[in-house]
Amino acid sequence: DETYSFYSPDGNRILRNFFQIYPKIYETDKALNEQTPFQIPPIKDFAGGVSFYDWSPDGKKLAGMPVDAKKGFLGITVYDFPTQT
């Protein structure tokens, strides 16, 4: 099982990576059955998914590594919540 969780800087959200391609954001103040997780949309040019691993200090961005099934990790990318890109 390759599931990793990371708290946002303010502690209000948890980023969960499911097998590197299904990252979702959960709110820490809600029970699991009350959640409507935010799924990070696929990022163009990274069909293999992105393994996100760190929040920006203000909680508005995530850093991650794009994954390719044949080439492995492809550097670093950033997801921006305000622009959803």
Side-chain angles (χ1 to χ4, degrees), residues 7-81:
Y7 279 90
S8 63
D10 62 9
N12 292 328
R13 297 171 289 168
I14 297 175
L15 163 69
R16 296 208 61 210
N17 283 303
F18 297 94
F19 305 103
Q20 300 175 337
I21 60 172
Y22 303 109
K24 292 184 181 179
I25 307 291
Y26 293 84
E27 298 174 57
T28 59
D29 64 344
K30 292 183 179 179
L32 189 57
N33 65 343
E34 297 173 348
Q35 293 283 341
T36 305
F38 172 76
Q39 183 164 348
I40 297 171
I43 296 177
K44 184 181 175 182
D45 300 325
F46 301 130
V50 176
S51 180
F52 288 103
Y53 58 87
D54 204 2
W55 296 80
S56 63
D58 63 6
K60 293 181 181 180
K61 296 179 182 180
L62 291 171
M65 295 185 297
V67 180
D68 180 273
K70 294 180 183 176
K71 298 177 184 175
F73 291 106
L74 303 173
I76 297 174
T77 191
V78 174
Y79 179 79
D80 182 79
F81 285 100

